[in-house]
Amino acid sequence: MESVSMEQWSTTAIPAIRRAPYWIEAVNQAYVQLECAVPTRSTDTFFGAITRRELAEVNLSHISSTAQTVLRTPQQISKASEDVFLLSIQVAGAGQLIQDDKSAYLRAGDLALYDSTRPYELLFDQHFEQYVISLPGSVLRKRLRNAEDMTACKIATAQSGTARLLSRMVTELMISPPAGGPVVDMTVADSLVGILVAALAENLGNLSLKDDTASLRYDRVKAYVLENLRDPELSIGKISQRLGITASTLHRVWEHESDSLTNWIWAMRLKGAEQDLRRLACTSTTITEIAYHWGFSSSAHFSRTFRQHFGVPPKEARARMRVLPQPDTRLT
């Protein structure tokens, strides 16, 4: 059973004259209290749609819309108690984020952070798509010093492995959210926040982390492993070498986890393979190809460890594959 709740808003079935007020209300429900202005010339053709999923304390959303201007004003801030950091990942089109006299112009593949406790502007002069991560300000401030100074600073996924990993993870979580209940949700959300912190730290290096050494090393290790999960040569030695730390330091970084780093790597590979076995898009891919794709060098080893982990062999897991219900497209 899917544990992540989903909400949807769309102007598709809304009469043209009501689309703008409907959209303003949708944006306010999905994010924080905002003003939203649609160009007069495009009122009849205006379109907007938002899908939002909750993942413990983190909200993930996909927004697709035509041109508009979005404002977070001092008046709204004074009336609302929201303390939220938002991170926009540009998927298509372009947009401009302005906060604290800084401006970030985002094209597809770029991302930037902004803070709901201070005014900001989002400017879109054409059709655009974004993924948006929303999380409580307290969550990010626990992990980062001067998080507020990181707003409106563009990060390009093409130039950052951790930012690219963050974008991929959000995409996957929106397409195929975790199932398993609150504990799974919290674990996945914590990993997502960790990678977000690593992406900000990697690319905005002049802004320091809290608990610099331990926190940064842990997030760097997790980000590197997840990005290279499919590498069959991934090992403690290779991770240590690539990150410039000793194997003993690597083990100390991971010592607070319930499982060893090696076991966690295999568990993540098995999870990825199990998801592929359930995907309709992978029905023409053989089980052996999926095993090799996720870093296994032997189909026998894959089948044995898969059965130990999930209780059934890969072939049976695929046979049980079911078509997931399509999201409800009715207006919320």
Side-chain angles (χ1 to χ4, degrees):
M1 181 176 64
E2 194 170 285
S3 61
V4 180
S5 62
M6 180 178 73
E7 295 179 280
Q8 292 183 315
W9 298 265
S10 174
T11 62
T12 300
I14 303 300
I17 194 171
R18 291 181 49 214
R19 285 177 192 162
Y22 173 90
W23 182 246
I24 293 171
E25 181 63 24
V27 168
N28 278 265
Q29 289 185 42
Y31 303 108
V32 294
Q33 294 299 301
L34 299 164
E35 291 182 6
C36 185
V38 177
T40 304
R41 67 181 184 279
S42 64
T43 302
D44 292 341
T45 58
F46 177 80
F47 166 80
I50 300 172
T51 300
R52 185 181 71 170
R53 296 187 185 277
E54 294 181 3
L55 187 66
E57 291 186 295
V58 179
N59 284 332
L60 305 177
S61 62
H62 175 263
I63 179 170
S64 175
S65 187
T66 47
Q68 62 195 271
T69 298
V70 179
L71 302 176
R72 174 76 166 164
T73 67
Q75 291 79 8
Q76 291 163 332
I77 294 170
S78 66
K79 294 176 183 177
S81 60
E82 299 133 324
D83 177 11
V84 178
F85 277 103
L86 303 101
L87 184 116
S88 287
I89 304 171
Q90 198 75 24
V91 177
Q96 185 177 13
L97 162 63
I98 302 171
Q99 186 167 50
D100 300 328
D101 298 320
K102 295 181 291 182
S103 178
Y105 188 77
L106 306 182
R107 300 181 186 276
D110 296 336
L111 54 88
L113 184 75
Y114 42 112
D115 180 1
S116 73
T117 65
R118 303 193 308 285
Y120 62 80
E121 299 177 55
L122 301 174
L123 311 176
F124 305 100
D125 59 7
Q126 57 184 295
H127 179 272
F128 71 95
E129 288 185 53
Q130 287 186 341
Y131 286 118
V132 180
I133 306 172
S134 306
L135 68 160
S138 59
V139 171
L140 196 58
R141 293 189 189 95
K142 286 178 182 177
R143 305 286 291 273
L144 288 167
R145 286 195 182 97
N146 305 321
E148 295 82 359
D149 296 334
M150 298 184 176
T151 58
C153 298
K154 181 175 74 172
I155 299 173
T157 57
Q159 300 171 4
S160 167
T162 49
R164 189 162 56 250
L165 174 62
L166 178 67
S167 178
R168 290 174 182 169
M169 189 172 183
V170 171
T171 301
E172 286 295 317
L173 288 171
M174 287 297 295
I175 295 172
S176 180
V183 174
V184 173
D185 288 355
M186 286 189 291
T187 302
V188 174
D190 183 66
S191 296
L192 182 66
V193 172
I195 295 168
L196 169 58
V197 167
L200 292 171
E202 177 191 32
N203 293 279
L204 307 174
N206 58 317
L207 301 167
S208 59
L209 285 165
K210 288 184 177 177
D211 301 321
D212 290 308
T213 303
S215 181
L216 178 55
R217 280 178 173 168
Y218 176 83
D219 291 330
R220 286 181 65 208
V221 168
K222 181 170 277 191
Y224 177 82
V225 169
L226 289 173
E227 188 171 13
N228 295 275
L229 207 53
R230 298 177 179 86
D231 179 3
E233 297 181 357
L234 186 66
S235 64
I236 298 297
K238 187 170 184 177
I239 297 168
S240 301
Q241 182 181 13
R242 292 300 173 88
L243 297 183
I245 58 178
T246 65
S248 59
T249 299
L250 179 57
H251 287 301
R252 283 198 302 273
V253 167
W254 201 262
E255 65 183 357
H256 298 296
E257 292 294 318
S258 59
D259 210 348
S260 70
L261 178 55
T262 298
N263 288 343
W264 184 77
I265 290 171
W266 287 115
M268 290 299 98
R269 286 171 166 170
L270 287 167
K271 180 176 176 60
E274 190 266 345
Q275 289 178 343
D276 278 355
L277 288 171
R278 292 190 289 107
R279 292 180 193 273
L280 292 175
C282 295
T283 52
S284 61
T285 306
T286 68
I287 291 175
T288 298
E289 288 172 336
I290 289 175
Y292 285 141
H293 177 73
W294 284 100
F296 290 84
S297 57
S298 162
S299 58
H301 177 220
F302 172 67
S303 295
R304 183 172 62 255
T305 55
F306 188 98
R307 183 166 191 162
Q308 289 172 349
H309 192 83
F310 294 107
V312 295
K315 186 175 181 179
E316 185 174 337
R318 166 167 275 182
R320 293 179 180 181
M321 182 183 68
R322 59 188 177 86
V323 178
L324 295 175
Q326 296 299 310
D328 186 356
T329 57
R330 294 175 297 178
L331 298 179
T332 300

